[in-house]
Amino acid sequence: MILRLDPDSATPAYEQIVTQVLAAIRAGELPAGSRLPTVRQLAGDLGIATNTVAKAYRQLESDGVVHTGGRNGTVVAARPDGAQAEEVRAAAVIFVRAAQREGVDLAAALGVIRQAW
Amino acid sequence: MPGYAAEVTFSIPEPWGRLLLLLVFFVPFAVVGWNLRHSRVSREEAQLGNWSGYADAGPDAPGLHARLMSRQSGRVIGVLVVWAGGFGVLALLDRLTPPAIVLTIPLGALVGAALGQLRELPAARGPRVASMRPRQLTDYVLPVERNVAVGSALLPALGAAVVAVGAIAGTPSSRTSALAIALLLATIIVGLGLGSIGRSLIAAPIDARGPAGVAWSEIIRAQNLRDLLVGTVFVNTGGSLLALLVFRHREAAHVPDWVWAVALLVCGAGLLAFVILALTGIADRTFHWARTHALAGVAP
């Protein structure tokens, strides 16, 4: 995964890092257990202060997205079951609304899901 | 009418004459080597374009060109320093081309190239990118290469053990033991120095603006690290063998035959290490390992 930082953006650098790491995790580019670069390495590559990267990593850790500790450094955390269920539930709501808009009944909608499975 | 014959004889003091002879070879080599940097950089850029999958480094092209040029300059300067330093000192002492010094020229080249790679260049302005993976040696070179280099560090220790046992047994003179120990210490110090340069290379930031810049930079890093591993094995093997040969040669009558056996073992281990490095280098000459590990998610 390539992280891009725009120094001219109105979004603070640490937020840019958090947003992109979250997006990469969601997209599966950073699967659970992936090690992230050290604070010093990422700061050096991006040409920013180590405090900025440390702040982003702290934010990700407090969100439960990564965990830091020991020799492994900062590692992408396994997604809790609840989070997975939440995502599926949210997708289901969107699907149901779309089906209702189109006038598709439950049996036909389940058929669509079976087909897509 | 009698003919005239004139004879003019120049006389230069012996060490200075040898130095002058060195200069006759040194200056053309320096000039040619320095001027060949541009063509070598062009060749490297073409190779990087092929290997990385990015034919062009895009916005990173000027910075990478400067980095490659700095690396080539370091290579030439490294060779010249070894040549001028080693040959010059030895010419002043007594000898002109001892084989051991000739062998250190590639070492000067790779250390110079690594230092050229580490040289700080002005960073270009603009948004930067980074690869979201931690850097480690085995992302750039095969584990077998790393293991061979680490294993070669045992050879100076083996040499030191032999010298220590010999010194305790009192077979060679203390002067011979001191010389062998000094050589082994120098070997260990140079080996540690190469290791330190390697760690700095791994830690050095990428300073890229696009994926192509990241890909090119990482392949250059892999090239440097592979060269350094070869240099480390060369130093550990060559230094240990030289120390044991000095130990054996100086007081041949007093040193038991097992020292020869250990020296042969060192020689064999060094040879085996070079064969392994040569085979892995040939098998992975396009840096496929680094591209699939260090560049996972970067190369197109």
Side-chain angles (χ1 to χ4, degrees):
Chain A
M1 177 226 167
I2 288 280
L3 193 142
R4 292 167 197 280
L5 201 65
D6 184 0
D8 299 326
S9 168
T11 311
Y14 89 92
E15 260 186 56
Q16 292 185 47
I17 295 170
V18 170
T19 309
Q20 290 184 50
V21 169
L22 283 174
I25 290 171
R26 282 199 198 103
E29 286 181 61
L30 287 175
S34 301
R35 282 174 62 206
L36 298 188
T38 60
V39 168
R40 187 186 289 267
Q41 180 190 315
L42 190 57
D45 287 355
L46 294 172
I48 55 176
T50 51
N51 282 343
T52 309
V53 178
K55 189 175 177 183
Y57 277 17
R58 276 199 303 274
Q59 172 82 53
L60 289 166
E61 193 172 10
S62 68
D63 292 347
V65 179
V66 301
H67 56 80
T68 306
R71 291 165 55 199
N72 287 333
T74 306
V75 179
V76 176
R79 291 167 74 193
D81 291 342
Q84 245 170 341
E86 191 60 42
E87 194 175 335
V88 173
R89 206 171 294 128
V93 169
I94 295 168
F95 173 76
V96 168
R97 282 185 191 149
Q100 287 169 342
R101 261 199 317 273
E102 298 296 322
V104 179
D105 64 8
L106 179 61
L110 287 174
V112 171
I113 289 175
R114 269 194 208 97
Q115 215 174 356
W117 198 262
Chain B
M1 197 172 163
Y4 290 97
E7 189 177 306
V8 181
T9 307
F10 290 101
S11 171
I12 303 172
E14 187 56 17
W16 298 107
R18 281 196 293 266
L19 266 186
L20 193 67
L21 192 63
L22 262 178
L23 275 179
V24 168
F25 292 103
F26 180 85
V27 173
F29 177 85
V31 172
V32 171
W34 195 255
N35 284 309
L36 278 177
R37 290 173 310 146
H38 295 277
S39 59
R40 284 186 186 141
V41 166
S42 300
R43 200 174 61 220
E44 277 190 297
E45 284 172 336
Q47 284 178 333
L48 287 167
N50 285 333
W51 294 339
S52 68
Y54 291 98
D56 188 279
D60 293 305
L64 279 163
H65 185 84
R67 175 61 63 208
L68 289 171
M69 191 57 94
S70 164
R71 197 160 157 260
Q72 285 295 340
S73 301
R75 192 187 297 272
V76 176
I77 291 168
V79 170
L80 294 181
V81 165
V82 168
W83 193 332
F87 279 58
V89 168
L90 283 164
L92 279 175
L93 288 177
D94 201 14
R95 302 167 192 173
L96 197 56
T97 53
I101 293 295
V102 175
L103 286 173
T104 58
I105 286 180
L107 190 66
L110 71 92
V111 170
L115 294 178
Q117 175 71 20
L118 289 172
R119 187 181 155 221
E120 210 160 301
L121 293 175
R125 295 178 62 80
R128 304 255 293 256
V129 300
S131 177
M132 283 301 282
R133 42 162 290 281
R135 288 193 277 271
Q136 54 189 9
L137 180 60
T138 46
D139 285 336
Y140 299 93
V141 296
L142 280 84
V144 65
E145 291 177 282
R146 196 253 335 245
N147 294 341
V148 163
V150 170
S152 74
L154 292 174
L155 297 179
L158 184 67
V162 169
V163 173
V165 170
I168 290 166
T171 40
S173 70
S174 56
R175 190 159 177 267
T176 304
S177 299
L179 187 61
I181 286 169
L183 276 169
L184 287 166
L185 269 179
T187 301
I188 291 168
I189 289 168
V190 174
L192 289 174
L194 291 176
S196 169
I197 293 173
R199 280 188 292 279
S200 302
L201 278 172
I202 294 171
I206 290 178
D207 186 21
R209 262 132 219 92
V214 174
W216 282 39
S217 301
E218 293 293 59
I219 294 175
I220 295 170
R221 199 194 301 268
Q223 284 177 325
N224 275 316
L225 287 170
R226 177 165 285 163
D227 287 351
L228 273 179
L229 287 191
V230 174
T232 304
V233 172
F234 168 75
V235 166
N236 285 335
T237 308
S240 306
L241 192 62
L242 189 64
L244 287 174
L245 288 179
V246 164
F247 191 68
R248 177 72 176 79
H249 176 72
R250 285 255 172 152
E251 305 216 0
H254 305 290
V255 176
D257 284 341
W258 58 266
V259 174
W260 263 129
V262 174
L264 279 174
L265 183 72
V266 170
C267 194
L271 198 64
L272 183 66
F274 276 114
V275 168
I276 292 171
L277 289 181
L279 289 177
T280 48
I282 290 167
D284 190 42
R285 61 183 176 280
T286 60
F287 295 92
H288 182 261
W289 179 270
R291 286 188 282 129
T292 49
H293 289 80
L295 293 179
V298 177

